[in-house]
Amino acid sequence: ILGAEVAFFDGISRARDIEKLTIQGTNLMLLEMPFEIWNSQQIKEVEYLIKERKFQIIIAHLDRFLWIPGNKKWIKELLELPVSIQIAMAHITECRICKMVVIF
């Protein structure tokens, strides 16, 4: 089946035809957040995608964003939304996930 890892961009929640980037035949969107310190507007856009556009959001590579200074607060807010997360198996087997659990 077709699918894409969608790079977050400002205005994504209002983008036309964004449903074409979901996993084929579903409302699942694999979303990669920006590699920078996040802000409240970005979290609101993800919330809008979920609540208003009815997407099921899977946050790609969440483990990569834990190490960006200032993101802890925004990651906590993001995880309060009904999102799923995707992390690389290598991070689990290397026990990086253990460090992630301690953060929260």
Side-chain angles (χ1 to χ4, degrees):
I1 61 174
L2 295 175
E5 186 172 307
V6 181
F8 180 94
F9 57 90
D10 290 336
I12 191 170
S13 64
R14 298 175 308 283
R16 292 180 60 201
D17 297 326
I18 194 77
E19 63 278 349
K20 291 180 181 178
L21 297 177
T22 58
I23 297 173
Q24 182 179 4
T26 72
N27 65 340
L28 293 169
M29 179 181 290
L30 182 59
L31 183 64
E32 183 171 37
M33 296 299 287
F35 285 94
E36 61 188 19
I37 298 173
W38 301 344
N39 59 55
S40 63
Q41 183 57 37
Q42 292 164 330
I43 304 303
K44 287 177 185 175
E45 291 225 33
V46 174
E47 183 175 20
Y48 190 90
L49 286 169
I50 295 166
K51 292 183 176 178
E52 302 301 324
R53 306 265 327 245
K54 308 300 183 199
F55 291 115
Q56 290 183 289
I57 302 295
I58 304 167
I59 303 298
H61 312 293
L62 183 65
D63 48 298
R64 295 180 185 175
F65 303 102
L66 293 169
W67 317 115
I68 299 174
N71 261 2
K72 185 176 176 181
K73 170 187 176 182
W74 303 116
I75 290 171
K76 284 182 179 183
E77 284 195 30
L78 184 68
L79 293 177
E80 289 175 5
L81 298 173
V83 297
S84 298
I85 61 168
Q86 175 273 326
I87 59 174
M89 184 63 174
H91 293 291
I92 295 171
T93 58
E94 293 173 12
C95 204
R96 286 188 180 173
I97 191 74
C98 299
K99 294 178 186 174
M100 187 169 69
V101 170
V102 171
I103 291 173
F104 296 102

